[in-house]
Amino acid sequence: MINITIPTPDVTIMKQDKPELSNIYGFTDFHLITRENGGIFMFYNDKEELLFVGKARKLRPRIKKHFEDSVSPIKNNRNEVTKIEVCIVEDPIEREIYETYIVNKYRAKYNVDKVLFN
């Protein structure tokens, strides 16, 4: 049996109720997420349910893209996201493994690729 330990998040940002600063869907702290490093990210709702897991070579631009583009799997549910956790994982193979594992172990609600459960 393979034992996979999910990395502890390096950064967690929370949605703010009435942000006074410039924000994207209530998130003002994107600057805390690295622009240069790769890793995995997880979107949660206010009930701590996992909504979506993704990976990226450059985390901040990829995460922001989920809140801005028209093809993101969460495009119709962006308001549901209240917490974003980010784990720095530089190795692309490890990112792939973590993403697939987390999607299936925690049954991420809006992931449609890499789903092995029914």
Side-chain angles (χ1 to χ4, degrees):
M1 172 185 265
I2 297 173
N3 187 11
I4 298 174
T5 303
I6 299 168
T8 304
D10 294 291
V11 175
T12 300
I13 63 172
M14 305 295 290
K15 182 176 191 171
Q16 298 185 13
D17 287 333
K18 295 180 183 175
E20 294 180 16
L21 301 172
S22 174
N23 71 89
I24 299 172
Y25 286 87
F27 290 97
T28 60
D29 294 328
F30 282 107
H31 67 281
L32 299 175
I33 300 169
T34 178
R35 184 186 304 236
E36 300 304 319
N37 297 97
I40 57 171
F41 55 91
M42 294 156 282
F43 297 157
Y44 294 88
N45 65 16
D46 58 354
K47 298 174 188 163
E48 290 292 315
E49 296 170 320
L50 183 61
L51 300 176
F52 185 79
V53 180
K55 66 181 182 315
R57 285 183 301 116
K58 295 183 184 260
L59 283 161
R60 188 188 319 166
R62 183 67 188 111
I63 292 169
K64 286 177 89 173
K65 196 167 180 124
H66 276 288
F67 290 93
E68 296 167 344
D69 72 18
S70 62
V71 296
S72 170
I74 67 159
K75 68 180 177 213
N76 297 322
N77 307 91
R78 292 175 175 137
N79 285 324
E80 198 176 337
V81 179
T82 59
K83 178 170 88 171
I84 301 170
E85 289 185 342
V86 176
C87 304
I88 307 298
V89 180
E90 283 298 330
D91 185 283
I93 295 169
E94 289 180 17
R95 287 194 298 261
E96 186 74 35
I97 291 167
Y98 284 132
E99 180 190 33
T100 303
Y101 178 76
I102 295 167
V103 163
N104 288 282
K105 177 149 178 93
Y106 298 101
R107 298 181 177 235
K109 189 174 181 180
Y110 298 122
N111 280 88
V112 291
D113 294 334
K114 302 178 186 178
V115 173
L116 305 173
F117 60 88
N118 294 343

